[in-house]
Amino acid sequence: MSTGSRARSARAACVLTALLAFLGLAATNPASAATGSDLRASVEFPAGPLVLGDRFKVTVEVTNVGDAPAVGVSGDWSTVSGTTFGLFADQWGDLDPTRPVKATLAPGETRRVTLDAYFNSWTGTPVARIGVRNNNDANQDDNYVTTVVNLVSPDVTDTVGGRVTTDSTGAGLAGVTVSLRGPDSTFTATTGPDGSFAIADVPAGAYSADFGTVPGGWLVPSRIVRVDGTGVNSALAISAVRPLAESLQAKFTLDKTSYHVGDRAKATATLHNTGSRALTGLLIGCDPAGTFYDIPIDGSQWADFGHVPGATLAPGETRTVTATGTVPAAAQDFGLTDLPCFVTALNGDSVAATPVEADVPGVSTDWSAIAYFDRNHNGYRDTGEEVGHVQLALTRPGTTQLRLATTDATGSVKFTAIPTGKYRASVLGVWKIAPGFEQAWVTAPPHSLGTWQFQVVPK
């Protein structure tokens, strides 16, 4: 190609490029993605309206849209202005900002967490900023989302009212004290002859509505009342219920009277409705105190008694359900395991069953006690009240085991190599054991209950 031809071709190419650019059709080389990690966050707040005292959910989703791993990522939140809000750090999972080792998100990876949130005292409409912190991010602008939260000011007031009735005939219950308890104030009213009540000028917020002693032994379950200025709580229909204990019989049993550590124990619950009305929303729970020797039961094993909305027992109906749990290692330090269970209804009423115990042999320990005579009747041992030369006898219920030891001049006594467990205590000679001290519990380290102090009185 001649020099003139090449020049004409070059000029033509320039004209074509300019025309394409004018039309917005210019062909360009594809832009390369920014190198490095690039986190992008989105946040979902409830639409509201929310009120002070609400516990609500906030969902945070984070995606690494960059081309390199995002290292050292943690959740972050703050109040830009107005009422302060809070989140729980441990609910962020590996994005928990208190963890010494922060999270890593691979290119294209997404994390989604749902967090419980709450407000503090009102200081104006809250503006919240939530997202993730990563100092090496290629674009910090989309790491956070700022949201104006729809929170109702407590300057907005409303009336809370309604009627308290029985659940059987619908008759009004008069003379019931109704208390709305908030974080800063309490409002009260008393139901009239037809069971009605009204509390005016209640500031917006979430309140616990509690009901005092109700005539005739009726129970009125507590409830949360949200006041937001819309008037939705001005005509509440509140039904009283009969106590669960009046019509529910609950019995729990174990399949053995003795276990070894690691054994699988089978628990059986037998529930009977002796009343004339159906019992609804029944749930079984065990191990409320969380002690070391209890048999841990996964509540989901209790059929429909193990999850909301709970089970229903028709009048006269009996139900039997079973569950299993493994005897914990610590049970041998106490010489026993047990099953402390209860049945509760969704309205908050409950019935506790008698705990059932089983022996767990295998550990012996040294065990000490002190005898004293409560001369001043103040209910505990004072210096100088110790009693020496008292012969203490320990026997295991249901066995012929007997251990004897005598207190020294300081009132102290020590048993050596005695199996752990519960014993019946008695005193021989001129003294006798005081009421309430008939049971002694021998436990081993590291779960020792300390030196047992027992009262004696003259025969």
Side-chain angles (χ1 to χ4, degrees):
M1 181 181 290
S2 66
T3 301
S5 297
R6 287 196 296 269
R8 286 192 296 273
S9 297
R11 286 196 297 272
C14 291
V15 171
L16 178 59
T17 299
L19 178 61
L20 290 173
F22 176 77
L23 297 174
L25 300 175
T28 60
N29 292 327
S32 59
T35 58
S37 63
D38 184 6
L39 297 175
R40 182 174 298 165
S42 64
V43 178
E44 298 174 11
F45 262 90
L50 299 171
V51 297
L52 290 178
D54 275 341
R55 286 291 180 95
F56 55 97
K57 301 289 185 181
V58 174
T59 299
V60 182
E61 184 172 282
V62 182
T63 301
N64 181 3
V65 299
D67 58 5
V71 180
V73 183
S74 61
D76 192 33
W77 66 96
S78 62
T79 302
V80 177
S81 62
T83 300
T84 303
F85 81 101
L87 301 176
F88 296 94
D90 59 351
Q91 293 183 343
W92 283 90
D94 64 351
L95 296 174
D96 181 349
T98 65
R99 289 169 56 124
V101 179
K102 308 304 182 186
T104 296
L105 273 70
E109 184 177 358
T110 296
R111 298 288 175 84
R112 185 179 177 89
V113 294
T114 299
L115 311 166
D116 291 312
Y118 58 92
F119 292 114
N120 294 316
S121 299
W122 171 265
T123 54
T125 300
V127 180
R129 183 173 185 262
I130 305 177
V132 288
R133 178 186 296 275
N134 182 24
N135 295 332
N136 299 319
D137 202 66
N139 178 17
Q140 298 280 346
D141 294 338
D142 55 1
N143 286 24
Y144 292 87
V145 175
T146 300
T147 305
V148 179
V149 186
N150 185 6
L151 178 66
V152 181
S153 167
D155 292 336
V156 175
T157 62
D158 210 341
T159 295
V160 175
R163 188 164 176 260
V164 181
T165 63
T166 66
D167 71 345
S168 54
T169 64
L173 287 170
V176 178
T177 299
V178 183
S179 299
L180 296 179
R181 305 184 191 278
D184 301 317
S185 55
T186 299
F187 303 88
T188 61
T190 302
T191 60
D194 65 345
S196 62
F197 70 96
I199 304 174
D201 300 323
V202 179
Y207 296 84
S208 173
D210 302 319
F211 303 86
T213 303
V214 182
W218 290 89
L219 297 177
V220 182
S222 299
R223 61 176 62 196
I224 298 298
V225 173
R226 296 179 70 261
V227 178
D228 59 10
T230 63
V232 295
N233 294 307
S234 60
L236 297 171
I238 301 170
S239 295
V241 296
R242 298 306 304 172
L244 197 60
E246 283 186 355
S247 52
L248 178 65
Q249 294 179 349
K251 182 180 180 180
F252 291 81
T253 58
L254 290 170
D255 60 332
K256 296 180 181 179
T257 58
S258 180
Y259 298 96
H260 293 283
V261 168
D263 284 351
R264 197 71 177 168
K266 180 180 178 181
T268 299
T270 303
L271 310 177
H272 177 55
N273 181 0
T274 64
S276 59
R277 62 186 181 90
L279 302 177
T280 60
L282 301 180
L283 299 167
I284 293 176
C286 295
D287 190 23
T291 51
F292 295 105
Y293 53 88
D294 294 335
I295 298 172
I297 297 287
D298 178 0
S300 63
Q301 297 182 69
W302 296 116
D304 50 348
F305 291 92
H307 56 82
V308 176
T312 297
L313 279 181
E317 182 181 4
T318 299
R319 290 274 304 277
T320 299
V321 290
T322 61
T324 60
T326 301
V327 177
Q332 63 185 352
D333 297 333
F334 296 87
L336 61 84
T337 188
D338 75 347
L339 190 69
C341 296
F342 60 95
V343 182
T344 185
L346 290 180
N347 62 23
D349 194 14
S350 63
V351 171
T354 302
V356 55
E357 296 180 349
D359 291 332
V360 180
V363 174
S364 294
T365 187
D366 294 343
W367 183 79
S368 299
I370 296 178
Y372 72 99
F373 174 46
D374 187 16
R375 292 183 177 85
N376 57 8
H377 305 290
N378 63 358
Y380 57 89
R381 178 175 65 89
D382 295 304
T383 302
E385 291 184 338
E386 297 82 4
V387 181
H389 313 296
V390 172
Q391 191 173 36
L392 176 64
L394 298 180
T395 57
R396 290 293 293 269
T399 74
T400 58
Q401 297 179 25
L402 172 65
R403 296 292 294 266
L404 295 173
T406 302
T407 63
D408 61 18
T410 68
S412 298
V413 62
K414 183 177 182 179
F415 292 81
T416 59
I418 182 172
T420 56
K422 290 184 178 179
Y423 290 79
R424 180 168 182 81
S426 59
V427 172
L428 309 178
V430 298
W431 298 91
K432 64 180 180 180
I433 199 108
F437 292 84
E438 299 90 348
Q439 181 176 271
W441 196 351
V442 177
T443 60
H447 300 109
S448 297
L449 300 179
T451 299
W452 183 55
Q453 302 184 39
F454 65 101
Q455 284 189 34
V456 294
V457 293
K459 284 186 176 178

